[in-house]
Amino acid sequence: MMKIIDLSVPLENYSFDPWPPRIFYLKHRSGAKYVGKRVGRGVDEFPGKIGFAWEEVKLTTHTGTHLVAPWHFAPTTEGRPAKTIDEIPLDWCYGDGVVLDLTRKKTGQLITVSDLKNALSKIDYEIKAKDIVLIRTDADKHFNKPDYGSVHSGVSREAIKWMIERGVKIIGMDGYGLDRKLTPEEDLKDLFQAHFVGREKEYCQIEQLANLDKIPKPYGFKVAVFPIKIEGASAGWVRAVALVP
């Protein structure tokens, strides 16, 4: 038996995302009208005078819960062309998950290597190659609130490198992104630390995860984060889930 835990946020109209989705809903009555025109039939000819519902969605590939490909960071990484989302090996996207509780880190603070080591020591676990590391901050509790894009902490460049050096290919976080929001007074070299590591080392990010607090144990479960296959894209939407025995 497996318990399946949804780790994704919904796509909704009128969200506080800087690039919110726009969803146009075609309901059943309108569906009969539009489909009827295509097949030369009137609305009254459809059973119950209703047709089929569907939706038209306008959004970026970085809206909602999504997997970020190396191509997002730069055209090359580790001296090779950076992978786009359709080139990500699927075996990266399904594997052993580990949740690191970093909820003590406050808004705008950086998660350091020492923070990672302390979190791992508390659960008596060592990161191994291909683990999917999920960083819990509980910033997802602010989803669809005005401060959602800025309330999370960030992961330092050294912490990202430390995980990659241990064979990690995918790092996720339950906030708007892995990089904290900077103030105008901060040095430019501190801008997008986690992103800029991707120019040196190959890895993927999962942004806008949710419900990491609902995973009942810090490891001993599987994670699936298969992205939508969009040719040449820098990211793809995922329905991220944890599979817990």
Side-chain angles (χ1 to χ4, degrees):
M1 296 293 292
M2 282 279 184
K3 181 177 183 180
I4 301 176
I5 300 173
D6 189 0
L7 305 181
S8 308
V9 299
L11 292 176
E12 301 174 339
N13 274 322
Y14 314 114
S15 74
F16 287 99
D17 192 297
W19 296 279
R22 287 293 175 258
I23 308 170
F24 172 72
Y25 293 90
L26 191 75
K27 297 188 177 179
H28 299 90
R29 180 78 176 176
S30 297
K33 178 181 177 181
Y34 281 94
V35 174
K37 282 184 178 181
R38 296 178 66 90
V39 298
R41 295 289 188 272
V43 171
D44 291 345
E45 296 181 72
F46 282 79
K49 298 183 180 181
I50 60 172
F52 313 114
W54 68 85
E55 296 73 43
E56 180 180 328
V57 183
K58 182 179 180 180
L59 74 170
T60 77
T61 53
H62 294 259
T63 301
T65 306
H66 60 279
L67 185 70
V68 177
W71 177 256
H72 177 57
F73 310 129
T76 62
T77 184
E78 298 185 11
R80 302 185 301 272
K83 289 181 176 65
T84 54
I85 199 66
D86 51 317
E87 297 172 329
I88 299 301
L90 293 183
D91 65 341
W92 289 13
C93 303
Y94 179 78
D96 293 333
V98 53
V99 177
L100 301 184
D101 188 344
L102 277 303
T103 52
R104 67 181 184 83
K105 302 297 287 191
K106 300 185 185 304
T107 298
Q109 289 185 327
L110 279 175
I111 294 167
T112 65
V113 174
S114 179
D115 291 325
L116 296 180
K117 289 180 176 179
N118 288 338
L120 287 163
S121 177
K122 287 180 180 179
I123 62 174
D124 193 25
Y125 187 81
E126 291 186 9
I127 288 177
K128 65 182 187 304
K130 297 291 184 69
D131 275 354
I132 297 176
V133 179
L134 308 176
I135 297 175
R136 178 187 165 192
T137 68
D138 286 351
D140 62 305
K141 308 313 174 196
H142 294 254
F143 180 70
N144 250 353
K145 295 180 181 178
D147 62 349
Y148 176 60
S150 60
V151 73
H152 59 284
S153 54
V155 188
S156 70
R157 61 173 60 87
E158 293 79 14
I160 294 289
K161 288 181 178 179
W162 188 83
M163 288 183 276
I164 294 172
E165 287 167 359
R166 278 146 187 79
V168 173
K169 287 296 187 180
I170 294 182
I171 303 167
M173 193 166 169
D174 59 357
Y176 185 71
L178 271 67
D179 283 296
R180 63 193 174 123
K181 183 178 180 180
L182 298 180
T183 64
E185 297 78 27
E186 292 188 84
D187 195 300
L188 190 62
K189 68 180 176 60
D190 291 322
L191 181 66
F192 298 128
Q193 292 191 31
H195 275 64
F196 284 166
V197 171
R199 297 184 172 190
E200 308 167 32
K201 300 289 185 181
E202 186 179 58
Y203 87 107
C204 297
Q205 299 179 2
I206 320 171
E207 297 181 349
Q208 299 188 47
L209 286 167
N211 301 324
L212 299 186
D213 58 316
K214 290 182 169 56
I215 301 176
K217 52 185 179 179
Y219 59 90
F221 61 92
K222 296 289 187 181
V223 175
V225 288
F226 296 108
I228 295 296
K229 193 173 184 178
I230 308 170
E231 183 179 2
S234 62
W237 313 285
V238 301
R239 184 67 178 268
V241 297
L243 305 169
V244 185

